[in-house]
Amino acid sequence: MKVNHDTITNMETIFTSKKKFHKNRAKLPFEEKIRIVIKLQQLANEISKRKKHQHTTLPVWKIG
Amino acid sequence: MEKALIVINDLKENGLIKDYAIGGGIAVIFYIEPILTYDLDIFFIPAGDSDGLLVLSSLYDYLKKQGYTPEKEHILIEGIPVQFLPVYNDLIEEAVEKAGYTSYKDTKIKVVKAEYLIAIMLQTYRPKDRERVIKFLDESDFDTEELERILLKFNLKDKFEKLMRFYNEG
């Protein structure tokens, strides 16, 4: 497969932008990060409930 | 979350433990982007010369009397599964002693510093630890000289370089 220079430049831009995105999320306030963790727990719990033959309820923290 | 942290602070205030610091996944997200985690790991130094496991048992008794329930290896405090881990080696003990104070809402908390977390993850070296070390290098601001000192002191330099070689080649 032929890959031209523009494609490589675009990929580099995407990787740089992704890296920046993660680095910015790392700088969020701790309280905001905890809220995101709880959202991730809720999502994981929903996915787990939808899986066939899986009856485990994953813990979701109470914020307060 | 804050209520659980207040209960943990009270353990120190009431002399049940000498000192503590938040470790594990929650300490990790203090420095990098949020990741999925389910428990709150608390490294603690037992009060006096007590054996860590005996202290753990009296800690559980104290918390049970307050209405908190043990669940497998955790104890559920205000809706948060908390795992208490007595410091089990010199690295963890130093990590607790040198942990930094910060706050969650209005509550003062102690969190293991980034350089010690990297060293602990290199010591445990599970796949998720290796992945997190890489994320630390990409996303967190840490003191490279302090990390170097810790890695040398606890013989983790070779492991760190091995991981770096793998990371840079990948």
Side-chain angles (χ1 to χ4, degrees):
Chain A
M1 192 177 103
K2 254 190 176 177
V3 181
N4 68 33
H5 182 72
D6 284 349
T7 310
I8 293 170
T9 311
N10 285 341
M11 289 308 288
E12 278 170 4
T13 312
I14 290 167
F15 290 141
T16 310
S17 140
K18 272 176 87 83
K19 213 169 180 172
K20 202 175 163 190
F21 168 78
H22 293 300
K23 207 164 172 136
N24 283 340
R25 274 167 65 90
K27 285 180 184 152
L28 288 171
F30 188 51
E31 287 172 33
E32 179 59 24
K33 287 180 176 181
I34 295 293
R35 275 193 285 272
I36 295 171
V37 169
I38 293 168
K39 276 184 192 164
L40 290 171
Q41 291 172 349
Q42 286 165 343
L43 282 171
N45 198 15
E46 281 303 310
I47 293 165
S48 164
K49 275 189 213 162
R50 284 178 199 176
K51 275 186 185 168
K52 267 187 182 177
H53 312 299
Q54 188 152 348
H55 307 288
T56 328
T57 305
L58 298 169
V60 177
W61 291 7
K62 290 172 198 160
I63 199 159
Chain B
M1 172 82 170
E2 191 177 23
K3 284 179 188 168
L5 296 168
I6 292 169
V7 172
I8 293 160
N9 278 339
D10 283 348
L11 296 174
K12 189 180 166 184
E13 292 286 313
N14 294 332
L16 276 106
I17 56 174
K18 185 181 167 195
D19 204 358
Y20 85 91
I22 297 174
I26 291 300
V28 164
I29 66 152
F30 194 77
Y31 304 99
I32 66 168
E33 71 172 333
I35 50 167
L36 180 61
T37 185
Y38 291 103
D39 54 3
L40 175 62
D41 289 339
I42 302 293
F43 292 130
F44 72 93
I45 302 176
D49 293 327
S50 332
D51 177 77
L53 291 174
L54 281 175
V55 174
L56 204 55
S57 154
S58 58
L59 213 62
Y60 268 53
D61 288 343
Y62 174 87
L63 291 166
K64 277 194 273 186
K65 276 179 196 157
Q66 293 197 25
Y68 302 119
T69 45
E71 236 178 45
K72 293 177 189 168
E73 69 273 30
H74 302 100
I75 186 151
L76 208 62
I77 303 178
E78 301 293 337
I80 314 277
V82 181
Q83 185 165 29
F84 288 97
L85 301 154
V87 289
Y88 53 86
N89 65 31
D90 293 344
L91 171 61
I92 311 280
E93 187 161 0
E94 192 174 299
V96 173
E97 285 165 352
K98 299 212 169 164
Y101 281 100
T102 182
S103 55
Y104 179 82
K105 294 187 178 174
D106 295 325
T107 305
K108 210 165 142 186
I109 52 171
K110 250 185 120 181
V111 181
V112 172
K113 284 186 176 163
E115 300 80 12
Y116 281 96
L117 281 173
I118 295 172
I120 293 167
M121 289 185 288
L122 285 167
Q123 203 172 56
T124 42
Y125 217 62
R126 297 162 298 179
K128 71 173 178 183
D129 295 315
R130 298 197 287 271
E131 194 184 316
R132 286 174 183 178
V133 170
I134 305 292
K135 283 183 80 63
F136 258 81
L137 301 179
D138 278 344
E139 298 170 18
S140 76
D141 297 317
F142 59 89
D143 183 337
T144 46
E145 280 179 23
E146 176 66 350
L147 178 64
E148 174 93 6
R149 183 194 68 76
I150 298 166
L151 295 183
L152 284 170
K153 183 173 178 183
F154 295 99
N155 298 318
L156 292 162
K157 189 86 196 291
D158 289 347
K159 231 173 183 178
F160 180 71
E161 282 170 357
K162 187 180 152 197
L163 183 63
M164 284 309 92
R165 277 196 299 275
F166 177 74
Y167 174 53
N168 292 325
E169 283 164 13

